[in-house]
């Protein structure tokens, strides 16, 4: 059997740790390769580690064809969903996979909308597309649900929305050494996101120094963010010092209005007295 190992597919999902690989190897040597390798034609889609171990020790294995795949994007989405359903991957890995899935789904939906709007044909054709048999059309994968919000991404990854935000920040701002630390589980997502706020040189220095220094760096970042909030009441105290001047000005204005009001009342009283005299005459 000719099996093609596509290096891009092999690297698409983060590889096992040495400990996980050793455990899988022991299991296969003891019990054999129980799960079939998944193929798309000749291309190996799932089971790269199992295939390598079986090749290394000359052990038999089974294969199964997935006939639903039409494009490499279909393969990627299937791989992502398979790994999102496993408990062995970390929270960070699940978040990264869910964000990858969002990119693929968004691209597919954009292309579909573009093709629909640029075509004069009805968007839903009841006929079988040219070049496809009814069986082929029936076996096509259903379109995945859109991931159009952080909440939907978080649900797909079984994370919180805040964790998704932190993972996005790590992907955009973290140095490779910091990413390696959170991938390996040396530090948490929270710690990595905090350290990612630092310049790249400081991230690398902290990552090279190890777990304790990374935690200290994250602590310094959080304290620096808290400090301005703690110092923010100072402008309010300045406002308080300015408050008596404003009160004094208001009091003066009230006094002026009171005097004007008294004068007007006196004028009204004088007019009423003059009117009474005229009526009496």
């Amino acid at each position: 059997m000719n099996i093609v190992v596509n290096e891009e597919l092999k690297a698409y999902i983060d590889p096992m740790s040495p400990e996980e690989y050793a455990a899988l190897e022991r299991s296969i040597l003891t019990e054999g390769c129980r799960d079939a390798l998944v193929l798309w034609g000749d291309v190996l889609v799932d089971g790269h580690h199992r295939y390598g171990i079986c090749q290394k020790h000359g052990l038999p294995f089974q294969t199964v064809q997935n006939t639903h795949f039409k494009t490499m994007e279909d393969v990627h989405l299937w791989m992502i969903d398979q790994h999102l359903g496993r408990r062995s991957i970390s929270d960070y890995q699940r978040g990264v996979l869910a964000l990858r899935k969002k990119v693929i789904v968004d691209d597919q939906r954009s292309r579909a909308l573009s093709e629909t709007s640029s075509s004069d044909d009805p968007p839903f054709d009841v006929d079988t597309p040219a070049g496809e048999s009814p069986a082929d059309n029936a076996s096509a994968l259903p379109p995945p649900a859109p991931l159009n919000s952080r909440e939907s991404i978080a649900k797909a990854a079984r994370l919180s929305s805040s964790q998704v935000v932190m993972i996005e920040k790590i992907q955009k701002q973290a140095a490779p050494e910091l990413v390696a630390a959170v991938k390996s589980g040396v530090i948490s997502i929270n710690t990595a996101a905090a350290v990612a706020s630092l310049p790249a040189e400081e991230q690398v220095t902290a990552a090279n120094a190890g777990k304790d220094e990374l935690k200290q760096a994250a602590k310094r970042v959080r304290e620096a963010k808290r400090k301005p909030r703690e110092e923010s009441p100072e402008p309010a105290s300045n406002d308080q010092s300015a408050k008596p001047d404003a009160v004094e000005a208001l009091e003066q204005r009230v006094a002026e209005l009171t005097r004007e009001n008294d004068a007007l009342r006196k004028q009204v009283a004088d007019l009423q007295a003059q009117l009474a005299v005229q009526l009496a005459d």
Side-chain angles (χ1 to χ4, degrees):
M1 178 182 297
N2 181 38
I3 294 180
V4 177
V5 175
N6 182 308
E7 293 300 326
E8 184 270 338
L9 278 182
K10 184 177 180 181
Y12 192 72
I13 304 294
D14 288 335
M16 289 181 172
S17 67
E19 294 77 15
E20 290 171 331
Y21 185 90
L24 177 63
E25 186 171 28
R26 287 194 300 271
S27 173
I28 291 177
L29 288 172
T30 303
E31 305 175 17
C33 187
R34 294 177 297 176
D35 298 324
L37 311 182
V38 179
L39 302 178
W40 178 33
D42 293 338
V43 178
L44 180 59
V45 173
D46 185 62
H48 290 88
H49 293 108
R50 282 172 279 140
Y51 178 65
I53 292 169
C54 289
Q55 289 289 94
K56 175 182 176 181
H57 298 284
L59 299 174
F61 55 85
Q62 294 181 332
T63 63
V64 62
Q65 284 284 340
N66 191 316
T67 58
H68 296 294
F69 300 143
K70 300 299 179 184
T71 66
M72 187 60 75
E73 284 184 339
D74 291 340
V75 175
H76 287 162
L77 285 174
W78 183 87
M79 292 174 72
I80 288 171
D81 287 340
Q82 290 297 305
H83 282 78
L84 284 176
R86 294 172 180 172
R87 297 182 180 181
S88 57
I89 65 173
S90 67
D91 288 348
Y92 178 77
Q93 289 174 308
R94 283 204 304 274
V96 169
L97 290 175
L99 289 168
R100 284 184 188 175
K101 181 175 182 177
K102 171 179 167 50
V103 172
I104 296 173
V105 172
D106 286 350
D107 287 346
Q108 287 184 337
R109 290 174 64 83
S110 296
R111 284 200 304 272
L113 289 173
S114 177
E115 291 169 1
T116 300
S117 61
S118 63
S119 173
D120 294 330
D121 297 329
F124 298 102
D125 191 344
V126 296
D127 296 329
T128 301
E132 291 186 14
S133 68
D136 289 337
N137 195 43
S139 66
L141 287 170
L147 299 176
N148 49 13
S149 67
R150 282 204 176 95
E151 289 72 19
S152 60
I153 298 170
K155 183 177 180 181
R158 303 199 305 276
L159 301 173
S160 66
S161 296
S162 61
Q163 286 176 306
V164 172
V165 172
M166 289 188 285
I167 292 170
E168 287 179 306
K169 180 178 180 181
I170 293 167
Q171 286 191 298
K172 292 176 182 178
Q173 300 178 215
E177 292 81 357
L178 180 59
V179 173
V182 69
K183 275 186 176 181
S184 63
V186 171
I187 55 173
S188 67
I189 295 171
N190 196 311
T191 298
V195 178
S197 302
L198 297 172
E201 297 79 6
E202 294 184 36
Q203 295 181 38
V204 173
T205 300
N208 290 337
K211 179 178 180 179
D212 291 340
E213 179 55 32
L214 283 167
K215 287 186 174 181
Q216 287 301 315
K219 183 179 179 181
R220 290 193 294 271
V221 170
R222 296 186 188 109
E223 289 176 348
K225 288 181 178 179
R226 280 198 297 266
K227 193 173 182 180
R229 290 199 295 268
E230 292 170 355
E231 293 176 351
S232 61
E234 286 188 1
S237 64
N238 294 334
D239 292 342
Q240 292 294 332
S241 64
K243 187 175 180 180
D245 295 335
V247 171
E248 183 178 355
L250 287 172
E251 289 176 346
Q252 290 176 356
R253 181 59 179 157
V254 169
E256 291 173 1
L257 291 173
T258 301
R259 287 194 294 270
E260 291 176 4
N261 191 35
D262 290 342
L264 288 171
R265 286 181 179 178
K266 186 174 183 302
Q267 290 178 8
V268 170
D270 291 342
L271 289 172
Q272 287 176 338
Q274 292 176 8
L275 181 61
V277 170
Q278 290 176 359
L279 291 174
D281 293 343

